[in-house]
Amino acid sequence: MSDQVNRFLGDSLGRTLVKLIVVSLIVGFVMTVFGLTPWSIIDGVRDFILEIWHRGFSALGRVGDYLILGATIVIPLFVILRLFSYHR
């Protein structure tokens, strides 16, 4: 059972928790710098859905912007975390 959990998580439970804590701290700091809160993100998603509904599907072009914006944070963090786990 433990091997299945480790395979699912990609590492041991402890290491995965440490990685998640580090990523959470970094993302929390970045969100604070940009003035984002969880509620503002939820409101943004809600507003996006309402905008799609009210303006039609032309608003879907913003999905690409969201994808690029998110990737600028997620991909470097993924690479950094993989580099940390590569040496072990």
XYZ file of all heavy atoms in Angstrom:
702
model
N 0.825 -1.194 0.000
C 0.000 0.000 0.000
C 0.868 1.257 0.000
O 0.586 2.210 -0.703
C -0.921 -0.029 1.226
C -1.845 1.127 1.320
S -3.184 0.944 0.165
C -4.264 2.189 0.712
N 1.941 1.252 0.789
C 2.814 2.417 0.872
C 3.483 2.703 -0.468
O 3.657 3.864 -0.834
C 3.871 2.202 1.948
O 4.745 3.298 1.992
N 3.857 1.647 -1.189
C 4.473 1.849 -2.498
C 3.496 2.492 -3.475
O 3.899 3.308 -4.305
C 4.969 0.515 -3.073
C 6.184 -0.018 -2.317
O 6.884 0.800 -1.691
O 6.407 -1.237 -2.366
N 2.234 2.124 -3.395
C 1.238 2.719 -4.279
C 1.058 4.203 -3.963
O 0.921 5.028 -4.869
C -0.097 1.987 -4.152
C -0.061 0.574 -4.698
C -1.362 -0.154 -4.445
O -2.175 0.260 -3.632
N -1.558 -1.267 -5.143
N 1.067 4.545 -2.677
C 0.934 5.948 -2.278
C 2.151 6.728 -2.759
O 2.020 7.823 -3.314
C 0.758 6.083 -0.744
C 0.827 7.540 -0.308
C -0.548 5.455 -0.305
N 3.352 6.169 -2.567
C 4.569 6.841 -3.025
C 4.570 7.001 -4.537
O 5.002 8.029 -5.055
C 5.815 6.062 -2.588
C 6.059 6.172 -1.097
O 5.447 6.972 -0.403
N 6.950 5.342 -0.603
N 4.097 6.006 -5.253
C 4.039 6.101 -6.708
C 3.045 7.170 -7.128
O 3.297 7.940 -8.059
C 3.643 4.747 -7.307
C 3.764 4.731 -8.818
C 3.452 3.388 -9.436
N 4.135 2.298 -8.752
C 3.566 1.141 -8.443
N 2.316 0.912 -8.771
N 4.233 0.199 -7.829
N 1.913 7.238 -6.436
C 0.907 8.245 -6.760
C 1.434 9.652 -6.488
O 1.239 10.564 -7.279
C -0.375 8.010 -5.952
C -1.400 9.084 -6.126
C -2.148 9.169 -7.282
C -1.620 10.031 -5.133
C -3.094 10.164 -7.457
C -2.561 11.023 -5.282
C -3.298 11.091 -6.445
N 2.109 9.839 -5.361
C 2.614 11.154 -4.978
C 3.889 11.526 -5.723
O 4.248 12.688 -5.792
C 2.874 11.202 -3.472
C 1.652 11.068 -2.567
C 2.082 11.022 -1.111
C 0.685 12.208 -2.799
N 4.605 10.553 -6.262
C 5.855 10.821 -6.959
C 7.049 10.825 -6.028
O 8.181 10.981 -6.473
N 6.828 10.669 -4.753
C 7.896 10.666 -3.753
C 7.275 10.179 -2.446
O 6.091 9.846 -2.394
C 8.468 12.073 -3.602
C 9.930 12.065 -3.175
O 10.416 11.006 -2.735
O 10.578 13.119 -3.289
N 8.057 10.167 -1.390
C 7.512 9.754 -0.107
C 6.535 10.815 0.397
O 6.552 11.968 -0.044
C 8.634 9.558 0.908
O 9.216 10.803 1.242
N 5.715 10.415 1.347
C 4.699 11.320 1.887
C 5.338 12.546 2.528
O 4.910 13.682 2.307
C 3.814 10.586 2.890
C 2.712 11.401 3.552
C 1.750 11.930 2.504
C 1.982 10.568 4.580
N 6.383 12.343 3.306
C 7.048 13.457 3.978
C 7.651 14.449 3.004
O 7.494 15.663 3.153
N 8.361 13.941 2.010
C 8.973 14.831 1.022
C 7.910 15.581 0.221
O 8.076 16.752 -0.103
C 9.870 14.040 0.078
C 11.140 13.587 0.723
C 12.010 12.880 -0.279
N 13.207 12.385 0.367
C 14.143 11.718 -0.250
N 14.034 11.457 -1.540
N 15.203 11.308 0.400
N 6.834 14.885 -0.118
C 5.763 15.532 -0.856
C 5.140 16.641 -0.020
O 4.855 17.728 -0.544
C 4.692 14.505 -1.265
O 5.317 13.490 -2.054
C 3.590 15.154 -2.062
N 4.937 16.410 1.263
C 4.385 17.452 2.132
C 5.317 18.647 2.220
O 4.866 19.798 2.170
C 4.113 16.878 3.524
C 2.921 15.942 3.639
C 2.834 15.367 5.047
C 1.640 16.656 3.280
N 6.627 18.403 2.336
C 7.583 19.509 2.394
C 7.545 20.307 1.096
O 7.546 21.546 1.109
C 9.013 18.984 2.677
C 10.050 20.074 2.479
C 9.098 18.423 4.088
N 7.501 19.618 -0.031
C 7.431 20.305 -1.326
C 6.166 21.146 -1.421
O 6.208 22.291 -1.889
C 7.454 19.300 -2.478
C 8.782 18.627 -2.668
C 8.679 17.597 -3.772
C 9.926 16.779 -3.889
N 9.825 15.751 -4.935
N 5.045 20.594 -1.004
C 3.795 21.333 -1.057
C 3.829 22.550 -0.139
O 3.297 23.614 -0.490
C 2.622 20.420 -0.703
C 2.273 19.363 -1.746
C 1.197 18.429 -1.208
C 1.831 20.009 -3.038
N 4.465 22.425 1.012
C 4.583 23.562 1.930
C 5.445 24.652 1.307
O 5.094 25.838 1.338
C 5.152 23.102 3.295
C 4.097 22.269 4.032
C 5.601 24.293 4.136
C 4.610 21.576 5.269
N 6.564 24.256 0.696
C 7.449 25.240 0.066
C 6.734 25.941 -1.080
O 6.770 27.171 -1.197
C 8.750 24.566 -0.419
C 9.554 25.494 -1.308
C 9.590 24.100 0.762
N 6.070 25.179 -1.922
C 5.341 25.771 -3.050
C 4.232 26.683 -2.541
O 4.019 27.780 -3.075
C 4.791 24.680 -3.987
C 3.850 25.271 -5.014
C 5.923 23.943 -4.667
N 3.549 26.270 -1.495
C 2.476 27.091 -0.934
C 3.015 28.409 -0.399
O 2.396 29.463 -0.592
C 1.760 26.338 0.188
O 1.107 25.208 -0.327
N 4.173 28.363 0.261
C 4.779 29.596 0.757
C 5.167 30.523 -0.389
O 4.919 31.734 -0.337
C 6.009 29.280 1.605
C 5.733 28.741 3.000
C 7.032 28.273 3.654
C 5.072 29.796 3.856
N 5.774 29.967 -1.423
C 6.202 30.782 -2.552
C 5.000 31.385 -3.271
O 4.969 32.586 -3.563
C 7.070 29.945 -3.521
C 8.394 29.584 -2.851
C 7.334 30.704 -4.815
C 9.221 28.575 -3.609
N 4.006 30.570 -3.566
C 2.821 31.066 -4.259
C 2.085 32.079 -3.384
O 1.612 33.105 -3.881
C 1.896 29.898 -4.675
C 0.562 30.406 -5.167
C 2.574 29.051 -5.737
N 2.021 31.831 -2.084
C 1.384 32.782 -1.176
C 2.105 34.113 -1.170
O 1.481 35.179 -1.174
N 3.444 34.084 -1.183
C 4.214 35.320 -1.231
C 3.962 36.064 -2.537
O 3.729 37.273 -2.541
C 5.707 35.009 -1.076
C 6.575 36.221 -1.229
C 6.672 37.146 -0.201
C 7.284 36.439 -2.391
C 7.465 38.272 -0.342
C 8.074 37.561 -2.537
C 8.175 38.483 -1.513
N 3.999 35.343 -3.652
C 3.779 35.968 -4.959
C 2.374 36.555 -5.038
O 2.184 37.671 -5.541
C 4.031 34.957 -6.103
C 3.579 35.510 -7.437
C 5.504 34.570 -6.150
N 1.402 35.819 -4.532
C 0.031 36.334 -4.557
C -0.094 37.587 -3.708
O -0.800 38.529 -4.084
C -0.944 35.253 -4.076
C -1.148 34.135 -5.081
S -2.216 32.829 -4.476
C -3.762 33.694 -4.300
N 0.604 37.636 -2.578
C 0.579 38.813 -1.727
C 1.221 40.003 -2.427
O 0.710 41.130 -2.352
C 1.307 38.529 -0.399
O 0.656 37.446 0.256
C 1.294 39.743 0.506
N 2.329 39.756 -3.116
C 3.006 40.835 -3.835
C 2.073 41.442 -4.876
O 2.041 42.658 -5.069
C 4.311 40.322 -4.491
C 4.862 41.313 -5.495
C 5.355 40.002 -3.427
N 1.314 40.597 -5.566
C 0.412 41.084 -6.607
C -0.964 41.463 -6.076
O -1.850 41.834 -6.843
C 0.277 40.048 -7.726
C 1.519 39.925 -8.551
C 2.317 38.794 -8.464
C 1.900 40.937 -9.408
C 3.466 38.680 -9.217
C 3.042 40.837 -10.166
C 3.840 39.703 -10.065
N -1.161 41.347 -4.783
C -2.429 41.761 -4.184
C -3.576 40.802 -4.457
O -4.729 41.230 -4.437
N -3.267 39.544 -4.699
C -4.313 38.557 -4.963
C -4.710 37.849 -3.675
O -3.885 37.603 -2.802
C -3.818 37.520 -5.975
C -3.509 38.032 -7.372
C -2.855 36.935 -8.187
C -4.769 38.505 -8.045
N -5.980 37.532 -3.587
C -6.488 36.732 -2.479
C -7.272 35.568 -3.068
O -7.682 35.615 -4.236
C -7.420 37.560 -1.574
O -8.566 37.943 -2.332
C -6.716 38.774 -1.007
N -7.489 34.522 -2.283
C -8.313 33.420 -2.805
C -9.691 33.897 -3.257
O -10.221 33.434 -4.256
C -8.412 32.450 -1.627
C -7.186 32.708 -0.829
C -6.922 34.185 -0.975
N -10.259 34.856 -2.516
C -11.586 35.353 -2.898
C -11.536 36.118 -4.210
O -12.468 36.055 -5.005
C -12.191 36.215 -1.797
C -12.580 35.406 -0.604
C -12.041 35.476 0.641
C -13.557 34.370 -0.555
N -12.620 34.555 1.466
C -13.568 33.849 0.756
C -14.427 33.819 -1.489
C -14.400 32.826 1.151
C -15.272 32.790 -1.091
C -15.250 32.306 0.213
N -10.456 36.859 -4.448
C -10.359 37.595 -5.714
C -10.223 36.631 -6.893
O -10.734 36.904 -7.979
C -9.198 38.584 -5.689
O -7.956 37.927 -5.667
N -9.548 35.515 -6.664
C -9.434 34.507 -7.729
C -10.795 33.872 -7.992
O -11.206 33.701 -9.146
C -8.381 33.452 -7.364
C -6.987 34.104 -7.330
C -8.408 32.282 -8.340
C -5.897 33.221 -6.801
N -11.503 33.540 -6.916
C -12.840 32.945 -7.078
C -13.769 33.940 -7.767
O -14.527 33.574 -8.677
C -13.400 32.509 -5.707
C -12.604 31.318 -5.192
C -14.891 32.161 -5.805
C -12.906 30.928 -3.766
N -13.703 35.204 -7.355
C -14.521 36.228 -8.011
C -14.138 36.378 -9.479
O -15.006 36.592 -10.335
C -14.374 37.573 -7.304
C -15.059 37.595 -5.948
O -15.944 36.740 -5.718
O -14.696 38.461 -5.128
N -12.854 36.282 -9.785
C -12.405 36.365 -11.169
C -12.941 35.226 -12.014
O -13.369 35.433 -13.159
N -12.945 34.013 -11.458
C -13.498 32.857 -12.178
C -14.997 33.043 -12.391
O -15.518 32.815 -13.483
C -13.196 31.544 -11.422
C -13.964 30.379 -12.011
C -11.704 31.254 -11.426
N -15.663 33.491 -11.344
C -17.111 33.725 -11.445
C -17.415 34.797 -12.487
O -18.295 34.637 -13.327
C -17.682 34.133 -10.095
C -19.190 34.329 -10.115
C -19.617 35.015 -8.890
N -18.797 36.232 -8.795
C -19.216 37.373 -8.300
N -20.417 37.464 -7.815
N -18.435 38.427 -8.259
N -16.654 35.896 -12.434
C -16.854 36.965 -13.417
C -16.556 36.482 -14.827
O -17.228 36.878 -15.784
C -15.982 38.165 -13.081
C -16.414 38.859 -11.801
O -17.563 38.629 -11.354
O -15.589 39.623 -11.240
N -15.539 35.637 -14.977
C -15.199 35.087 -16.286
C -16.342 34.256 -16.844
O -16.726 34.381 -18.006
C -13.922 34.254 -16.184
C -13.528 33.579 -17.461
C -13.060 34.323 -18.533
C -13.613 32.203 -17.591
C -12.693 33.708 -19.714
C -13.250 31.585 -18.756
C -12.788 32.336 -19.836
N -16.926 33.421 -15.997
C -18.056 32.583 -16.443
C -19.250 33.460 -16.804
O -19.916 33.233 -17.827
C -18.411 31.540 -15.363
C -17.275 30.514 -15.253
C -19.733 30.849 -15.678
C -17.404 29.568 -14.087
N -19.516 34.465 -15.975
C -20.622 35.373 -16.288
C -20.363 36.146 -17.573
O -21.274 36.381 -18.367
C -20.848 36.347 -15.135
C -21.477 35.751 -13.884
C -21.515 36.781 -12.762
C -22.862 35.202 -14.181
N -19.116 36.533 -17.799
C -18.770 37.247 -19.023
C -18.975 36.360 -20.249
O -19.470 36.815 -21.280
C -17.316 37.717 -18.966
C -16.909 38.558 -20.147
C -15.504 39.101 -19.998
O -15.060 39.304 -18.855
O -14.859 39.306 -21.035
N -18.599 35.091 -20.136
C -18.853 34.159 -21.240
C -20.350 34.075 -21.522
O -20.790 34.096 -22.677
C -18.291 32.761 -20.925
C -16.772 32.795 -20.939
C -18.788 31.722 -21.928
C -16.137 31.505 -20.492
N -21.126 33.995 -20.458
C -22.566 33.873 -20.613
C -23.170 35.127 -21.246
O -23.999 35.047 -22.139
C -23.210 33.610 -19.259
C -24.678 33.389 -19.345
C -25.660 34.295 -19.094
C -25.333 32.188 -19.743
N -26.893 33.732 -19.284
C -26.724 32.432 -19.679
C -24.901 30.929 -20.112
C -27.658 31.466 -19.991
C -25.839 29.963 -20.421
C -27.194 30.236 -20.364
N -22.736 36.291 -20.783
C -23.330 37.540 -21.251
C -22.797 38.000 -22.605
O -23.524 38.606 -23.383
C -23.123 38.650 -20.222
C -23.908 38.444 -18.975
N -25.282 38.444 -18.932
C -23.516 38.202 -17.701
C -25.692 38.219 -17.710
N -24.638 38.070 -16.935
N -21.563 37.764 -22.890
C -20.966 38.261 -24.125
C -20.777 37.187 -25.174
O -20.259 37.462 -26.256
C -19.612 38.893 -23.838
C -19.722 40.113 -22.984
C -18.383 40.747 -22.846
N -18.486 41.873 -21.930
C -17.811 42.973 -22.077
N -16.992 43.110 -23.077
N -17.952 43.940 -21.206
N -21.133 35.993 -24.872
C -20.924 34.916 -25.817
C -19.547 34.307 -25.652
O -18.821 34.594 -24.710
N -19.179 33.462 -26.553
C -17.962 32.697 -26.400
C -16.725 33.414 -26.924
O -15.642 32.846 -26.954
C -18.127 31.334 -27.063
C -19.068 30.443 -26.311
C -20.397 30.334 -26.684
C -18.633 29.747 -25.206
C -21.270 29.529 -25.976
C -19.485 28.943 -24.487
C -20.813 28.835 -24.872
N -16.839 34.670 -27.293
C -15.650 35.427 -27.694
C -14.725 35.666 -26.504
O -13.531 35.904 -26.673
C -16.051 36.755 -28.321
O -16.717 37.566 -27.364
N -15.275 35.575 -25.306
C -14.461 35.763 -24.100
C -13.534 34.586 -23.847
O -12.652 34.664 -22.991
C -15.377 35.970 -22.898
N -13.715 33.495 -24.581
C -12.844 32.339 -24.380
C -11.393 32.639 -24.733
O -10.497 31.919 -24.320
C -13.346 31.138 -25.190
C -14.536 30.409 -24.620
C -14.987 29.301 -25.561
C -14.226 29.836 -23.259
N -11.149 33.682 -25.489
C -9.784 34.065 -25.802
C -8.980 34.405 -24.561
O -7.760 34.283 -24.556
N -9.647 34.791 -23.489
C -8.962 35.085 -22.227
C -8.394 33.836 -21.589
O -7.487 33.936 -20.766
C -9.922 35.762 -21.259
C -10.289 37.173 -21.704
C -11.218 37.861 -20.752
N -10.616 38.012 -19.440
C -11.281 38.427 -18.373
N -12.562 38.715 -18.482
N -10.687 38.547 -17.217
N -8.879 32.664 -21.955
C -8.364 31.418 -21.389
C -6.874 31.294 -21.696
O -6.079 30.892 -20.846
C -9.149 30.198 -21.916
C -8.485 28.901 -21.508
C -10.573 30.235 -21.399
N -6.490 31.653 -22.913
C -5.077 31.604 -23.276
C -4.250 32.540 -22.413
O -3.140 32.190 -21.986
N -4.775 33.727 -22.134
C -4.076 34.661 -21.255
C -3.924 34.085 -19.858
O -2.862 34.192 -19.238
C -4.825 35.991 -21.173
C -4.861 36.727 -22.495
O -3.981 36.461 -23.345
O -5.768 37.560 -22.675
N -4.985 33.477 -19.351
C -4.914 32.852 -18.031
C -3.919 31.706 -18.028
O -3.188 31.509 -17.055
C -6.286 32.340 -17.592
C -7.303 33.426 -17.332
C -8.647 33.176 -17.503
C -6.923 34.687 -16.920
C -9.594 34.155 -17.262
C -7.867 35.669 -16.681
C -9.197 35.395 -16.845
O -10.120 36.359 -16.597
N -3.899 30.931 -19.110
C -2.981 29.808 -19.199
C -1.534 30.286 -19.166
O -0.700 29.741 -18.432
C -3.246 29.018 -20.491
C -2.360 27.813 -20.746
C -2.605 26.749 -19.699
C -2.619 27.268 -22.125
N -1.218 31.307 -19.932
C 0.151 31.825 -19.964
C 0.522 32.441 -18.617
O 1.624 32.218 -18.106
C 0.304 32.848 -21.104
C 0.192 32.130 -22.447
C 1.621 33.595 -21.002
C 0.109 33.048 -23.643
N -0.382 33.184 -18.024
C -0.117 33.802 -16.729
C 0.151 32.744 -15.662
O 1.108 32.840 -14.892
C -1.290 34.690 -16.318
C -1.154 35.425 -14.997
C 0.021 36.385 -15.051
C -2.429 36.166 -14.688
N -0.674 31.728 -15.621
C -0.474 30.657 -14.651
C 0.786 29.858 -14.907
O 1.491 29.454 -13.984
N 1.093 29.627 -16.184
C 2.280 28.849 -16.540
C 3.561 29.563 -16.127
O 4.562 28.910 -15.829
C 2.296 28.561 -18.034
N 3.541 30.887 -16.093
C 4.735 31.613 -15.682
C 5.092 31.358 -14.227
O 6.243 31.521 -13.827
C 4.580 33.127 -15.898
O 3.462 33.591 -15.144
C 4.416 33.460 -17.356
N 4.130 30.935 -13.441
C 4.401 30.594 -12.041
C 4.564 29.090 -11.877
O 5.490 28.614 -11.225
C 3.264 31.116 -11.134
C 3.265 32.637 -11.145
C 3.401 30.586 -9.719
C 2.106 33.267 -10.438
N 3.694 28.316 -12.489
C 3.657 26.877 -12.243
C 4.849 26.150 -12.852
O 5.465 25.303 -12.195
C 2.329 26.286 -12.773
C 2.352 24.786 -12.737
C 1.166 26.832 -11.981
N 5.210 26.454 -14.083
C 6.277 25.709 -14.750
C 7.624 25.906 -14.066
O 8.323 24.923 -13.806
C 6.308 26.039 -16.256
C 5.064 25.432 -16.905
C 7.572 25.505 -16.914
C 4.895 25.744 -18.354
N 8.034 27.136 -13.734
C 9.307 27.256 -13.009
C 9.290 26.544 -11.655
O 10.285 25.923 -11.263
C 9.480 28.764 -12.825
C 8.686 29.365 -13.909
C 7.530 28.449 -14.126
N 8.168 26.605 -10.953
C 8.078 25.898 -9.679
C 8.180 24.395 -9.880
O 8.839 23.697 -9.095
C 6.774 26.248 -8.965
C 6.701 27.652 -8.402
C 5.324 27.920 -7.806
C 7.768 27.849 -7.358
N 7.565 23.893 -10.930
C 7.649 22.472 -11.228
C 9.095 22.069 -11.508
O 9.581 21.056 -11.002
C 6.757 22.132 -12.423
C 6.883 20.713 -12.884
C 6.263 19.698 -12.183
C 7.626 20.389 -14.006
C 6.377 18.387 -12.592
C 7.754 19.091 -14.421
C 7.121 18.084 -13.717
N 9.784 22.870 -12.307
C 11.181 22.564 -12.642
C 12.040 22.608 -11.381
O 12.873 21.719 -11.158
C 11.706 23.544 -13.709
C 13.202 23.408 -13.895
C 10.987 23.320 -15.032
N 11.838 23.622 -10.546
C 12.614 23.724 -9.308
C 12.363 22.521 -8.409
O 13.297 21.925 -7.869
C 12.274 25.041 -8.578
C 12.859 26.223 -9.357
C 12.810 25.039 -7.151
C 12.364 27.574 -8.872
N 11.112 22.138 -8.266
C 10.796 20.985 -7.417
C 11.374 19.699 -7.985
O 11.841 18.838 -7.245
C 9.283 20.869 -7.228
C 8.686 21.957 -6.354
C 7.171 21.835 -6.327
C 9.235 21.855 -4.948
N 11.345 19.538 -9.297
C 11.935 18.354 -9.907
C 13.450 18.341 -9.732
O 14.040 17.291 -9.537
C 11.577 18.263 -11.394
C 10.181 17.777 -11.620
C 10.047 16.418 -11.035
N 8.695 15.924 -11.168
C 8.280 14.819 -10.640
N 9.073 14.066 -9.934
N 7.036 14.441 -10.790
N 14.092 19.503 -9.795
C 15.526 19.570 -9.566
C 15.880 19.190 -8.142
O 16.877 18.512 -7.906
C 16.060 20.965 -9.900
C 16.111 21.335 -11.367
C 16.529 22.790 -11.536
C 17.058 20.427 -12.129
N 15.065 19.630 -7.178
C 15.306 19.245 -5.793
C 15.160 17.734 -5.611
O 15.920 17.124 -4.887
C 14.351 19.966 -4.847
C 14.698 21.388 -4.585
C 13.694 22.330 -4.447
C 16.015 21.803 -4.496
C 14.004 23.661 -4.198
C 16.330 23.127 -4.258
C 15.323 24.052 -4.099
N 14.182 17.136 -6.253
C 13.963 15.699 -6.087
C 14.893 14.875 -6.975
O 15.077 13.697 -6.726
C 12.512 15.344 -6.383
O 12.215 15.559 -7.751
N 15.518 15.475 -7.975
C 16.413 14.748 -8.876
C 17.689 14.306 -8.169
O 18.201 13.248 -8.414
C 16.766 15.622 -10.085
C 17.726 14.993 -11.051
C 17.317 13.949 -11.878
C 19.040 15.425 -11.131
C 18.199 13.353 -12.756
C 19.926 14.844 -12.001
C 19.497 13.809 -12.828
O 20.372 13.225 -13.688
N 18.185 15.123 -7.257
C 19.431 14.830 -6.586
C 19.286 13.769 -5.506
O 20.272 13.282 -4.986
C 20.022 16.109 -5.981
C 20.429 17.097 -7.028
N 21.487 16.886 -7.866
C 19.899 18.285 -7.364
C 21.611 17.909 -8.676
N 20.637 18.782 -8.394
N 18.102 13.408 -5.168
C 17.895 12.442 -4.057
C 17.602 11.096 -4.580
O 17.149 10.537 -5.266
C 16.772 12.919 -3.170
C 17.185 14.208 -2.521
C 16.111 14.741 -1.666
N 16.573 16.030 -1.161
C 16.048 16.635 -0.168
N 15.055 16.107 0.455
N 16.500 17.775 0.238
